[in-house]
């Protein structure tokens, strides 16, 4: 086509757009209804795609992210990035496969330190008040691996990352600007972290992003040649060398695992069938949320299809109302193609308007949703700050708008161009015998059946998740979470080095909390129930017994949960004592080692005889402890989450924890202080925090939560999924009801003349009304049947989200159609009742 032809085509298109816009302005109510419906559907798609884009599609902001991998420890239980020093050493030795291998905090989160500076240290705020701040420990290769650059200053040297190296720190740009007013002179000065002097060597550039996002970076100072397997748990990442595939890297790591277990046979016994592997860093960060995001995308896509069906019905009615206009245009020479193009152009204008409004609606909707509690969604940032529109989101919205314009416009456009020219010029008749009306009614009927089918699928999916959520909330966690406050403090880099200092700390802080007015009981623990981020496990054996085969046996020992608590722990959580006694203040490092077990452990491993007559040996190999006497059996509690079965658990007094265990927990997990109050614990939160800070010497507080919040957080992912699908299900129900109402109203309108004739001949109005209702319910029943059949297959996609609920749950499969049927009946009855108000004489003149 030459340039003149192109200009003619563009001019014609512009004419169609202008004519379509003028035509739409003449029907403002219809235009607003269509645009609002499309904005709702497209906005939902845009919102979900924004999350999918941020989590799954957007490349990591690091150099060559497609070559970055995370090292994994594998086993029958799955995989985890739980590295130890010997594993890090053997991974780093694979230098012909990997480069820039670095260790950093992530597996247990990042420690929180107390940032304190005085006026001489550069604090521009002038108060020198300490504040808790996240501090990531990293080896020297971390900055090179993640492309992190500083300005001003420098990053860490290998010497600074060696044991007993200099205490230096790199500040984040945010901390630098907020705490030090972006003063470049802070580089080289000394600040205090947990009361210890650290020299600032660099300021991180603001564009650097990391997950998790710390306020400061400090050197990870461990001996890479240490044989210690339990002191530290951290994450290791590296970069594949050019030309090395992930498959080859995994093969080499499998061989490295065989060598590792030959060198450390005690680890081979402790980790049977264990191995090493690697995953692309982005894949490892995403984890198991990918399937949930795909489910949300499919659900909102269904809602958009229902919205398109409703809009198509409106446009089809509009096209039939313009028959004379289209006939005149055809009579003066407009071909069928030109008429179709004109109608499609109008639908394109509507879709683009809906898409533009949907972009705004989607941005607002995703903020509202994600600010609630998205559970374990990675990469979205705090308060969903990372979920921002980019070219992918804009291109996706534009593509959806274009596709929507075809979906909603093609059928009405073809229908509007098919009718007989002479009949249209005469004005036509509205009676049922008119072929165009009959054809249109069939088209609308198919659209309604499709809407109802999709709505049934979404309602059943939402119903299954609601049942799951209700079932989880009905699970007895085994403890009383009401009026309990949990405050965690970081012990990393603190003075707590052995059981003596631990005992002094716990007794001092607990006593200070206990005497506060309104506090009923106070205690401490390494971890509170249902806080998966700090839950620990270990191995034990029964003194004098060989462990039989069991689902919980590991090598020559059993696996169990492991919690270290103060004497009042069970009183705070009101965990009943079934046999024996609780811990006492006399159970310290100088007395007989004791342990309390839960009912699950006693039932599975101490079923014969009195459990109190047994002793447990905790740990294996070089980490094995002296035998501990069982002094009590307590009720089972859920410690991981509400979905999993209660696991056998041992409780050890904090005053009898070994120095080795303190070293492990101190480096990785904060210490939790718990208090039961007479009334709402939030009212005493400030007083409790002050008491903890004063009695502990200003240990940095990492979190303050009520146990009700902890319990709710343990099922946050399920609650979020339930909320999202419930919103989509209700939206589909409302849109389907609108579709059914529209079809019924159209049928009543076009059969008004027929009803007048039949009533003039003596037909009761009630019979006519019932025929309308029966016809509508017949279409709904077909849609329900098809939707239920489809749901039987599609609900299997959400099996991993269900808990104690079958994907074919009879209650849900019966209640969803009943709810939809009741709503549809109301949508049918409202227009159908107008049949009884028809005046036969007026109806006979109706056209």
């Amino acid at each position: 086509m030459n340039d003149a032809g192109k200009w003619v085509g563009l001019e014609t298109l512009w004419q169609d757009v202008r004519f379509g816009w003028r035509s739409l302005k003449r029907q403002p109510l219809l235009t607003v209804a269509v645009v609002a419906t499309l904005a709702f559907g497209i906005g939902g798609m845009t919102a979900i795609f924004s999350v999918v884009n941020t989590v799954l599609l957007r490349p990591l902001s690091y150099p060559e992210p497609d070559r970055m991998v995370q090292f994994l420890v594998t086993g029958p239980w799955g995989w985890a990035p739980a590295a130890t020093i010997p594993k890090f050493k053997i991974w780093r030795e694979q230098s012909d496969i990997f480069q820039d291998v670095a260790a950093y905090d992530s597996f247990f989160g990042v420690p929180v330190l107390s940032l304190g500076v005085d006026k001489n240290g550069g604090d521009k705020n002038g108060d020198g008040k300490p504040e808790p701040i996240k501090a990531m420990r990293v080896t020297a290769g971390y900055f090179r691996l993640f492309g992190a650059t500083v300005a001003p200053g420098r990053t860490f040297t290998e010497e600074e990352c060696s044991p007993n190296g200099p205490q230096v720190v790199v500040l984040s740009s945010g901390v630098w600007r907020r705490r030090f007013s972006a003063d470049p002179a802070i580089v080289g000065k000394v600040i205090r972290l947990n009361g210890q002097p650290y020299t600032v060597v660099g300021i991180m550039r603001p564009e650097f992003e990391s997950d998790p996002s710390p306020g400061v970076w400090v050197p990870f100072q461990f001996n890479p040649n240490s044989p210690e397997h339990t002191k530290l748990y951290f994450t290791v990442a590296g970069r594949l060398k050019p030309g090395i595939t992930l498959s080859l890297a995994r093969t080499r790591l499998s061989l490295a695992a065989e060598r590792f277990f030959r060198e450390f046979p005690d680890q081979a016994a402790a980790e049977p069938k264990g191995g090493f592997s690697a995953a692309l860093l982005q894949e490892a960060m995403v984890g198991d949320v990918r399937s949930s995001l795909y489910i949300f995308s499919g659900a909102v896509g269904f809602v958009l299809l229902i919205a398109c069906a409703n809009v198509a019905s409106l446009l089809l009615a509009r096209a039939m109302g313009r028959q004379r206009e289209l006939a005149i245009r055809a009579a003066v020479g407009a071909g069928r193609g030109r008429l179709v193009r004109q109608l499609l152009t109008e639908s394109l204008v509507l879709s683009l308007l809906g898409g533009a409004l949907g972009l705004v609606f989607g941005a607002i909707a995703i903020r509202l949703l994600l600010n609630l509690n998205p559970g374990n969604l990675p990469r979205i940032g705090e308060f969903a700050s990372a979920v921002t529109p980019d070219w992918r989101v804009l291109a996706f919205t534009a593509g959806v708008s274009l596709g929507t314009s075809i979906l909603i416009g093609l059928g009405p456009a073809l229908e509007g161009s098919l009718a007989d020219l002479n009949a249209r010029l005469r004005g036509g008749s509205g009676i049922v015998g008119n072929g165009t009306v009959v054809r249109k009614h069939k088209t609308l009927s198919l659209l309604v059946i499709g809407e109802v089918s999709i709505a049934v699928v979404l309602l059943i999916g939402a119903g299954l998740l609601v049942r799951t959520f209700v079932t989880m909330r009905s699970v007895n966690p085994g403890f009383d979470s009401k009026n309990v406050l949990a405050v965690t403090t970081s012990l990393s880099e603190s003075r707590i080095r052995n059981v003596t200092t631990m005992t002094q700390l716990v007794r001092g802080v607990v006593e200070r909390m206990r005497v506060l007015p309104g506090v009923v009981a106070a205690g401490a623990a390494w971890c509170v129930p249902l806080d998966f981020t700090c839950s620990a496990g270990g191995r034990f054996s029964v003194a004098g017994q060989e462990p039989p085969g069991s689902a919980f046996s590991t090598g020559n020992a059993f696996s169990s949960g492991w919690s270290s608590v103060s004497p009042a722990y069970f009183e705070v959580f009101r965990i009943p004592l079934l046999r024996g006694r609780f811990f006492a203040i006399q159970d310290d490092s100088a007395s007989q080692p004791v342990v309390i077990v839960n009912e699950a452990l006693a039932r599975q491993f101490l079923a014969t005889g009195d459990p109190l007559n047994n002793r447990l040996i905790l740990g294996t190999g070089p980490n094995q402890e002296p035998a501990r006497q069982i002094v009590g059996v307590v009720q089972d509690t859920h410690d991981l989450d509400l979905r999993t079965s209660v696991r056998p658990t041992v409780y050890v007094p904090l005053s009898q924890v070994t120095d080795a265990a303190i070293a492990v927990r101190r480096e990785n997990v904060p210490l939790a202080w718990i208090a039961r109050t007479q009334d709402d614990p939030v009212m005493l939160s400030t007083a409790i925090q002050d008491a903890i800070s004063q009695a502990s010497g200003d240990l940095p507080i990492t979190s303050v939560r009520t146990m009700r919040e902890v319990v709710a957080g343990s099922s946050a992912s399920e609650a979020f999924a339930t909320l999202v699908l419930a919103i989509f299900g209700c939206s589909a129900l409302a849109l389907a009801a609108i579709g059914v109402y529209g079809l019924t109203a159209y049928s009543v309108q076009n059969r008004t003349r027929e009803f007048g004739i039949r009533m003039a001949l003596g037909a009761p109005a009630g019979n006519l009304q019932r025929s309308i209702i029966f016809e509508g319910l017949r279409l709904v029943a077909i849609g329900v049947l098809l939707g239920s059949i489809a749901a039987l297959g599609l609900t299997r996609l959400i099996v991993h989200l269900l808990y104690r609920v079958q994907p074919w749950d009879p209650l849900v499969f019966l209640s969803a159609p009943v709810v939809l049927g009741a709503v549809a009946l109301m949508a049918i009855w409202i227009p159908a009742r107008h049949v009884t108000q028809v005046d036969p004489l007026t109806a006979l003149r109706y056209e």
Side-chain angles (χ1 to χ4, degrees), residues 492-556:
S492 180
E493 309 293 337
S494 75
R495 62 186 181 278
I496 308 303
R497 302 288 174 177
N498 52 49
V499 67
T500 301
T501 54
M502 170 64 71
T503 302
Q504 293 172 349
L505 172 69
V506 171
R507 288 181 179 176
V509 175
V510 168
E511 182 61 25
R512 183 70 66 90
M513 295 167 59
R514 191 180 63 81
V515 298
L516 289 174
V519 173
V520 176
W526 278 120
C527 192
V528 296
L530 296 179
D531 187 355
F532 180 77
T533 60
C534 66
S535 60
R539 285 169 289 278
F540 74 93
S541 57
V542 181
Q545 296 183 19
E546 287 294 330
S550 168
F552 291 96
S553 64
T554 304
N556 59 358

Side-chain angles (χ1 to χ4, degrees), residues 421-765:
L421 177 61
N422 293 327
R424 287 189 293 185
L425 289 174
R426 290 196 306 267
S429 173
I431 62 173
V432 176
N434 186 285
T436 302
V437 174
V438 173
R439 184 169 59 246
K440 183 191 173 210
H441 190 273
K442 290 182 178 179
T443 303
L444 290 176
S445 298
L446 292 176
L447 289 175
V448 167
I449 291 173
E451 290 182 46
V452 172
S453 300
I454 295 174
V456 168
V457 172
L458 290 181
L459 283 176
I460 289 176
L464 291 174
L465 290 186
V466 169
R467 283 265 287 155
T468 291
F469 186 70
V470 171
T471 302
M472 288 185 63
R473 285 302 176 93
S474 66
V475 172
N476 180 12
F479 61 91
D480 184 2
S481 62
K482 184 181 180 181
N483 291 346
V484 177
L485 187 74
V487 180
T488 57
T489 56
S490 173
L491 297 183
S492 180
E493 309 293 337
S494 75
R495 62 186 181 278
I496 308 303
R497 302 288 174 177
N498 52 49
V499 67
T500 301
T501 54
M502 170 64 71
T503 302
Q504 293 172 349
L505 172 69
V506 171
R507 288 181 179 176
V509 175
V510 168
E511 182 61 25
R512 183 70 66 90
M513 295 167 59
R514 191 180 63 81
V515 298
L516 289 174
V519 173
V520 176
W526 278 120
C527 192
V528 296
L530 296 179
D531 187 355
F532 180 77
T533 60
C534 66
S535 60
R539 285 169 289 278
F540 74 93
S541 57
V542 181
Q545 296 183 19
E546 287 294 330
S550 168
F552 291 96
S553 64
T554 304
N556 59 358
F558 296 116
S559 176
S560 72
W562 195 328
S563 185
S564 302
V565 303
S566 69
Y569 173 87
F570 302 100
E571 180 185 359
V572 171
F573 286 114
R574 293 180 177 172
I575 300 175
L577 178 70
L578 305 180
R579 292 183 63 84
R581 67 173 177 87
F582 289 131
F583 295 138
I585 194 171
Q586 293 78 18
D587 294 320
D588 56 22
S589 57
S591 63
Q592 178 191 24
V594 295
V595 66
I596 290 176
V597 302
N598 70 341
E599 189 178 9
L601 189 147
R603 182 174 57 251
Q604 295 181 48
F605 307 116
L606 308 171
T608 59
D610 188 348
L612 303 184
N613 293 332
N614 291 278
R615 294 182 301 157
L616 297 186
I617 302 173
L618 306 184
T620 58
N623 299 313
Q624 189 175 92
E625 298 182 7
R628 293 177 177 270
Q629 180 64 44
I630 299 177
V631 296
V633 179
V634 296
Q635 177 181 283
D636 291 337
T637 62
H638 288 267
D639 59 342
L640 296 176
D641 57 56
L642 296 175
R643 297 174 66 103
T644 56
S645 301
V646 174
R647 60 177 178 170
T649 302
V650 298
Y651 298 91
V652 176
L654 276 169
S655 55
Q656 288 189 350
V657 176
T658 64
D659 293 349
I662 289 176
V664 174
R665 304 293 284 179
R666 181 179 62 82
E667 295 290 342
N668 295 288
V669 179
L671 185 62
W673 307 97
I674 51 178
R676 173 170 290 280
T677 60
Q678 292 177 346
D679 300 307
D680 186 357
V682 176
M683 300 173 60
L684 290 175
S685 175
T686 301
I688 292 174
Q689 291 179 66
D690 290 342
I692 293 172
S693 297
Q694 294 168 10
S696 67
D698 287 325
L699 284 178
I701 293 176
T702 62
S703 70
V704 180
R705 298 171 294 174
T706 66
M707 283 305 298
R708 288 285 178 89
E709 293 173 336
V710 174
V711 174
S714 68
S715 57
S717 297
E718 291 80 3
F720 183 71
T722 301
L723 175 63
V724 172
L725 279 191
I727 291 174
F728 294 155
C730 292
S731 301
L733 178 62
L735 290 173
I738 292 172
V740 172
Y741 173 86
L743 174 64
T744 307
Y746 169 79
S747 178
V748 171
Q749 178 185 8
N750 281 278
R751 297 177 65 184
T752 300
R753 182 179 174 85
E754 172 198 343
F755 293 148
I757 295 173
R758 294 175 65 178
M759 284 192 292
L761 294 176

Side-chain angles (χ1 to χ4, degrees), residues 118-143:
D118 52 32
K119 294 181 180 179
N120 295 330
D123 183 7
K124 299 301 180 180
N125 296 328
D127 55 11
K129 184 178 180 180
E131 66 170 294
I133 191 168
K134 292 182 179 180
M136 181 180 284
R137 298 174 297 182
V138 301
T139 57
Y142 170 88
F143 299 101

Side-chain angles (χ1 to χ4, degrees), residues 144-372:
R144 183 172 57 252
L145 171 64
F146 287 91
T149 56
V150 297
R154 61 173 177 82
T155 57
F156 304 144
T157 64
E158 291 290 346
E159 179 186 1
E160 291 167 342
C161 291
S162 60
N164 302 315
Q167 294 191 139
V168 293
V169 61
V170 170
L171 303 178
S172 69
S173 176
V175 169
W176 178 49
R177 295 178 185 279
R178 175 176 51 81
R179 189 78 188 201
F180 304 100
S181 299
D183 182 9
I186 189 63
V187 176
K189 291 187 177 181
V190 175
I191 65 173
R192 291 190 174 274
L193 296 174
N194 277 9
Q196 300 298 313
Y198 280 75
T199 302
V200 178
V201 297
I203 310 298
M204 189 66 64
R205 291 184 180 273
E207 59 268 19
F208 176 67
E209 299 177 3
S210 66
D211 190 8
S213 179
V216 298
W217 289 261
V218 296
F220 215 158
Q221 297 176 334
F222 60 81
N223 180 5
N225 297 314
S226 169
E228 178 60 59
H229 292 280
T230 59
K231 185 176 181 181
L232 289 175
Y233 293 95
F234 47 86
T235 300
V236 176
R239 179 175 284 105
L240 296 172
K241 283 197 166 183
I244 301 299
T245 64
L246 182 61
S247 177
L248 176 60
R250 287 172 172 169
T251 301
R252 288 292 299 272
L253 286 175
S254 296
L255 297 176
E258 295 177 3
R259 171 190 156 193
F260 172 82
F261 289 121
R262 284 197 303 269
E263 293 181 5
F264 301 98
D266 58 318
Q267 290 301 300
E271 302 177 30
K273 300 181 181 179
F276 299 159
S277 186
L280 291 177
L281 183 59
Q282 184 165 352
E283 296 293 328
M285 293 172 65
V286 169
D288 58 355
V289 305
R290 180 185 300 272
S291 58
S292 297
L293 291 179
Y294 286 158
I295 290 171
F296 296 159
S297 300
V300 74
F302 281 162
V303 173
L304 179 59
L305 285 177
I306 297 177
C308 288
N310 277 345
V311 170
S313 299
L314 291 174
L315 295 184
L316 187 57
R318 179 172 178 268
M320 296 306 298
R322 299 171 61 187
Q323 297 231 341
R324 288 182 60 84
E325 170 201 334
L326 296 176
I328 293 172
R329 296 187 64 186
V332 297
R336 183 184 175 196
R338 179 61 188 274
L339 296 178
V340 170
R341 187 177 67 185
Q342 174 62 52
L343 295 175
L344 283 176
T345 302
E346 293 175 11
S347 67
L348 177 62
V349 172
L350 290 169
S351 296
L352 292 179
L353 290 174
L357 188 60
L359 197 61
V360 177
F361 171 77
I364 297 174
I366 202 61
R367 285 284 181 268
L368 294 176
L369 275 178
L370 294 182
N371 283 346
L372 295 176

